[in-house]
């Protein structure tokens, strides 16, 4: 197990290194001069040159890349050009919105998907099974940002049950804050719940074909009883793996959803950084998100290998 963990750790380090090069290269080639954005298009050339020198933009790209990576390795994510504040402080302010939103969406997707998968597997070939398959197919096909807009139109504009966007802050109380996060969490959760429900159904159907389930049926248990008492626990192994991986997709999806609902989270911060040409902010925050995604994938992989020793022999 230790050898497998070390090999996966090396793979994680290589993935992070490649991701850092890709992120830096893509963001640096985006048109626009941060100094010109800060000073205006009519700024004097010597003033622009002075600001570029102050921001370190006059240095060669390789040196800027090495400086950026070296700073991140020591916990220094740089200082935002637009906010004039450390990027780490900005992330700390916004993560208290993005992380609860992601966890809320993950809980909703799990609570929706597991019962739906159980229902479909226990009614295989019947109307309930086809209904779950049809709904989940629609959930996979519909983009979450379009679904988010639809939720705003129905529940915020037409029914006026919730506000169309914004966040009151945790200081306003737990329930008002959770109410503001509910529609964004639903918009994030339903596409992922559709995927998870289909995985749950397939895993249950595969488990129902095992010998121990057929033995339980032969002893007099109904299909539903055998499914709940015996097949369900074993089918949870691939499902829990998908749940862990979905956390990564929800983090990435929150970037779009936060902008639809005007939530001041990490996704909104990245969007504002792009529009303001705040290179160091966008690079550092994007790299932190990529690190979170890769780390979660690494931990899920280790957990799955611990449960299934066959993976360690690959």
């Amino acid at each position: 197990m230790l050898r497998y963990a070390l090999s996966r750790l090396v793979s994680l380090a290589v993935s992070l290194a490649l991701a850092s090069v890709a992120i830096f290269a893509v963001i640096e080639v985006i048109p626009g001069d941060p100094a010109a954005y800060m000073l205006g298009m009519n700024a004097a050339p010597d003033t622009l040159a002075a600001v570029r020198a102050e921001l370190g933009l006059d240095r060669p790209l390789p040196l800027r890349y090495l400086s950026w990576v070296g700073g991140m390795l020591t916990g220094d994510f740089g200082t935002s050009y637009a906010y004039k504040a450390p990027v780490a402080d900005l992330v700390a302010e916004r993560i208290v919105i993005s992380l609860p939103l992601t966890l809320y969406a993950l809980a909703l997707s799990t609570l929706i998907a597991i019962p739906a998968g159980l229902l479909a597997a226990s009614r295989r070939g019947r109307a309930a099974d086809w209904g779950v398959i049809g709904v989940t197919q629609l959930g996979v096909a519909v983009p979450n940002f379009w679904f988010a807009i639809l939720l705003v139109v129905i529940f915020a504009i037409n029914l006026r049950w919730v506000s169309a966007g914004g966040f009151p802050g945790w200081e306003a109380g737990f329930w008002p804050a959770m109410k503001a996060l509910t529609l964004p969490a639903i918009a994030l959760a339903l596409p992922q719940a559709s995927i998870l429900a289909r995985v749950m159904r397939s895993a249950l159907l595969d488990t129902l074909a095992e010998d121990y389930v057929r033995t339980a049926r032969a002893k007099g248990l109904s299909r539903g009883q055998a499914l709940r008492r015996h097949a369900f626990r074993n089918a949870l192994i691939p499902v829990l793996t998908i749940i862990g991986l979905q956390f990564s997709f929800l983090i990435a999806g929150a970037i779009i959803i936060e902008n639809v609902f005007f939530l001041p989270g990490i996704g909104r911060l990245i969007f504002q950084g792009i529009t303001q040409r705040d290179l160091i902010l966008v690079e550092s925050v994007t790299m932190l998100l990529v690190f979170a995604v890769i780390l979660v994938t690494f931990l899920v992989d280790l957990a799955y290998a611990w449960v299934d020793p066959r993976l360690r022999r690959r």
Side-chain angles (χ1 to χ4, degrees):
M1 183 64 185
L2 181 60
R3 182 178 178 181
Y4 178 80
L6 290 175
S7 67
R8 300 306 298 166
L9 193 60
V10 171
S11 176
L12 182 148
V14 172
S15 299
L16 286 175
L18 294 175
S20 68
V21 173
I23 290 170
F24 185 83
V26 169
I27 294 176
E28 289 293 334
V29 300
I30 295 177
D33 184 359
Y37 183 89
M38 295 170 63
L39 298 176
M41 299 305 296
N42 296 323
D46 55 343
T47 305
L48 287 173
V51 172
R52 291 192 189 100
E54 181 184 353
L55 299 177
L57 298 175
D58 58 337
R59 295 183 297 168
L61 284 178
L63 292 180
R64 288 167 55 190
Y65 170 77
L66 292 176
S67 176
W68 171 61
V69 172
M72 293 198 71
L73 291 175
T74 59
D76 179 12
F77 303 121
T79 301
S80 167
Y81 303 159
Y83 294 95
K84 304 297 183 183
V87 174
D89 294 345
L90 296 173
V91 171
E93 292 174 1
R94 306 298 184 99
I95 197 68
V96 296
I97 299 172
S98 296
L99 184 59
L101 172 62
T102 301
L103 295 176
Y104 192 2
L106 185 64
L108 286 177
S109 66
T110 304
L111 291 174
I112 294 170
I114 290 181
L118 280 168
L119 176 64
S122 62
R123 301 289 189 273
R124 182 181 185 183
R126 302 180 186 177
D129 183 23
W130 287 110
V132 170
I133 293 175
V135 171
T136 55
Q137 185 64 41
L138 182 64
V140 172
V142 174
N144 57 8
F145 69 87
W146 185 89
F147 188 65
I149 296 173
L150 183 64
L151 290 176
V152 170
V153 171
I154 294 174
F155 295 101
I157 298 176
N158 293 337
L159 298 177
R160 299 182 182 276
W161 288 356
V162 294
S163 62
F167 186 73
W170 292 105
E171 61 274 7
F174 179 77
W175 293 115
M178 293 301 291
K179 184 179 179 180
L181 294 179
T182 297
L183 284 188
I186 293 173
L188 273 175
L190 287 185
Q192 299 300 322
S194 300
I195 297 172
L196 188 59
R198 296 172 74 91
V199 172
M200 185 73 195
R201 176 184 179 275
S202 299
L204 284 170
L205 293 178
D206 290 341
T207 307
L208 284 173
E210 297 291 337
D211 292 339
Y212 65 87
V213 177
R214 289 199 294 266
T215 302
R217 293 291 307 278
K219 291 181 178 181
L221 291 182
S222 66
R223 180 185 176 88
Q225 289 174 328
L227 185 147
R228 291 189 297 272
R229 295 182 186 180
H230 300 281
F232 178 70
R233 286 178 293 179
N234 292 283
L236 279 179
I237 295 176
V239 172
L240 291 176
T241 303
I242 298 299
I243 290 175
L245 295 176
Q246 281 189 341
F247 182 79
S248 305
F249 290 106
L250 289 171
I251 291 176
I255 296 175
I256 300 175
I257 296 301
E258 285 178 3
N259 284 285
V260 174
F261 289 94
F262 298 99
L263 294 175
I266 297 295
R268 186 73 177 166
L269 182 64
I270 292 177
F271 177 77
Q272 292 170 339
I274 293 173
T275 58
Q276 297 168 350
R277 287 294 293 154
D278 198 339
L279 300 182
I280 189 67
L281 174 65
V282 178
E283 290 167 354
S284 296
V285 176
T286 304
M287 192 63 206
L288 285 173
L289 290 178
V290 170
F291 174 74
V293 169
I294 294 177
L295 180 62
V296 170
T297 305
F298 169 73
L299 294 176
V300 169
D301 193 13
L302 284 186
Y304 197 39
W306 183 269
V307 174
D308 190 354
R310 292 174 297 178
L311 291 178
R312 289 175 249 166
R313 304 190 188 103
R314 295 183 180 178

